[in-house]
Amino acid sequence: MTASLFDSLSLGPLSLPNRIVMAPMTRARSTQPGDVPNALMAEYYAQRAGAGLIVSEATQISRQGQGYSFTPGIYTQDQIAGWRRVTDAVHAAGGRMVLQLWHVGRMSHPSFHADGRPVAPSALAPDASVWIVDPATGQGGMVACPVPRALDITEIPGIVDDYRGAAANAMAAGFDGVEIHGANGYLIDQFLRDTSNRRTDRYGGSRENRIRFAVEVAEAVAGEIGADRTGIRLSPYITQRNMADEGIVDTILMAARAFDRLGLAYIHLAEADWDDAPEVPVRFRHDLRAAYSGRIVVAGKYTRARGEAILSAGLADLVAFGRPFIANPDLPRRFAEGLPLSAFEGATLFGGDAHGYTSYPAWPAAA
């Protein structure tokens, strides 16, 4: 069956005019202090409202969940009000938008924690860095993550409740739904992986135990806002940040079956996007389809042609684009009309002002 990026699609209660998703991308431009979304962010997202769906940048559910400077939160009234400005702008431009809920776990920095120690399932270092702004110079740079402390089992229900509260706050802020960030080496992904989770209690050891945290978070969020407005992002084939795990694919498929039973609206598959990254096996794509009956979103090094190929194969329902959306706010139009794509400036990815953020122009209208 031939499928197009420009076919309409239902996603829970949402009617999407196309199958082009704006992928979540950290841009670190919230107002300080307080990590509050602002007018510049509203302009940025509204410029890209032609996407069938916008997934917001990753947004911390609590101060403990933060790992990078200037990323927005969704746990204070000021943050809720700031995000309401963003969603109002996106909706006024005809778009739809979900908020990505984020707890980074061990991918963090001492400055975000009263005791100077990020939290994780186990006290295992990620061998990775996060983007931190030096308060003395105002300049940002990559800083190594420390060894985290292992969460006590009594702390875990509180974090699950933080996700629940963040989902409720997202709806108060006018979002059309939420996406749980369970990928790329952050907290939920850390629980899923044998290499980062050496717990011996009900959240570690067996595969059934390792998916428990992800399932409890999904249950809490879906119970708060509805499963049909809840998605989750997963990344079984990403191994960076000390996340390599030979058994992760089977774990992800077990989790997918649990999410199917909950009726989650979609699974967002984050695929590695660097030049020599491993390809996701076609066998896994079929296995995921068999395990999960909801919508599947894919994101990686997709072009229009690759996106339409995977849609036509029936192995995905939507295709997310990240970097192309940065420099091409009118990306759906450029795809539809075969217009050239602009390249983004890597130096302006994190932090800064309007330059490299809202400054990329749309293609001129036809005379």
Side-chain angles (χ1 to χ4, degrees):
M1 178 185 71
T2 301
S4 170
L5 289 170
F6 303 98
D7 292 342
S8 61
L9 186 75
S10 63
L11 184 67
L14 302 178
S15 296
L16 311 186
N18 60 63
R19 300 185 183 209
I20 299 170
V21 176
M22 179 179 170
M25 293 173 286
T26 294
R27 303 304 309 274
R29 281 172 167 84
S30 66
T31 294
Q32 303 304 310
D35 302 315
V36 177
N38 52 44
L40 187 64
M41 292 171 59
E43 180 183 359
Y44 168 74
Y45 283 112
Q47 287 176 337
R48 291 153 178 82
L53 181 70
I54 294 173
V55 182
S56 82
E57 61 208 271
T59 299
Q60 56 261 13
I61 61 171
S62 64
R63 177 68 170 177
Q64 184 196 71
Q66 185 168 4
Y68 300 72
S69 294
F70 297 0
T71 53
I74 189 63
Y75 56 93
T76 72
Q77 289 303 309
D78 285 346
Q79 291 165 354
I80 295 169
W83 276 122
R84 169 61 78 169
R85 173 181 279 184
V86 174
T87 60
D88 283 349
V90 168
H91 291 149
R96 297 136 299 278
M97 187 173 184
V98 298
L99 182 71
Q100 190 183 69
L101 305 180
W102 196 27
H103 191 305
V104 300
R106 65 186 187 175
M107 288 291 301
S108 190
H109 184 265
S111 62
F112 301 123
H113 306 273
D115 63 358
R117 300 184 68 189
V119 300
S122 303
L124 300 171
D127 188 23
S129 299
V130 289
W131 188 81
I132 300 296
V133 172
D134 185 334
T137 66
Q139 298 299 308
M142 301 305 290
V143 179
C145 300
V147 176
R149 70 171 179 85
L151 285 162
D152 186 272
I153 194 170
T154 61
E155 297 177 273
I156 295 176
I159 297 176
V160 172
D161 200 54
D162 286 340
Y163 277 99
R164 185 200 321 273
N169 290 345
M171 301 310 289
F175 284 95
D176 298 299
V178 304
E179 177 177 293
I180 301 164
H181 198 342
N184 298 356
Y186 297 115
L187 185 63
I188 290 174
D189 204 14
Q190 291 160 28
F191 272 97
L192 291 173
R193 310 260 177 168
D194 185 53
T195 48
S196 56
N197 182 3
R198 301 295 171 81
R199 304 183 70 94
T200 57
D201 56 31
R202 68 195 298 263
Y203 293 96
S206 69
R207 187 165 283 122
E208 290 83 358
N209 282 356
R210 291 202 304 277
I211 72 168
R212 188 184 298 271
F213 180 68
V215 173
E216 288 182 358
V217 168
E219 287 174 337
V221 171
E224 183 66 37
I225 69 169
D228 60 347
R229 292 187 182 272
T230 304
I232 189 164
R233 198 175 209 213
L234 303 169
S235 58
Y237 289 94
I238 289 178
T239 59
Q240 59 188 354
R241 301 170 176 173
N242 272 354
M243 298 297 287
D245 177 0
E246 292 183 356
I248 188 59
V249 169
D250 288 337
T251 303
I252 290 290
L253 291 172
M254 177 180 286
R257 287 188 282 272
F259 300 144
D260 190 59
R261 290 191 292 272
L262 288 175
L264 297 195
Y266 70 88
I267 287 176
H268 186 172
L269 188 63
E271 303 174 24
D273 62 358
W274 51 91
D275 290 341
D276 60 349
E279 292 290 326
V280 174
V282 173
R283 178 72 263 164
F284 170 77
R285 297 190 191 280
H286 284 283
D287 289 345
L288 183 61
R289 272 295 193 206
Y292 177 74
S293 60
R295 303 298 192 191
I296 294 176
V297 185
V298 293
K301 288 186 66 178
Y302 282 90
T303 60
R304 174 180 175 175
R306 283 194 67 222
E308 297 207 325
I310 197 167
L311 294 179
S312 293
L315 298 176
D317 302 291
L318 299 116
V319 182
F321 299 87
R323 293 180 182 90
F325 251 123
I326 292 177
N328 302 276
D330 55 344
L331 184 66
R333 179 194 168 199
R334 296 201 190 204
F335 279 162
E337 299 180 18
L339 299 171
L341 299 186
S342 300
F344 79 99
E345 299 179 45
T348 63
L349 188 59
F350 298 132
D353 53 21
H355 178 70
Y357 190 57
T358 57
S359 61
Y360 295 105
W363 193 265

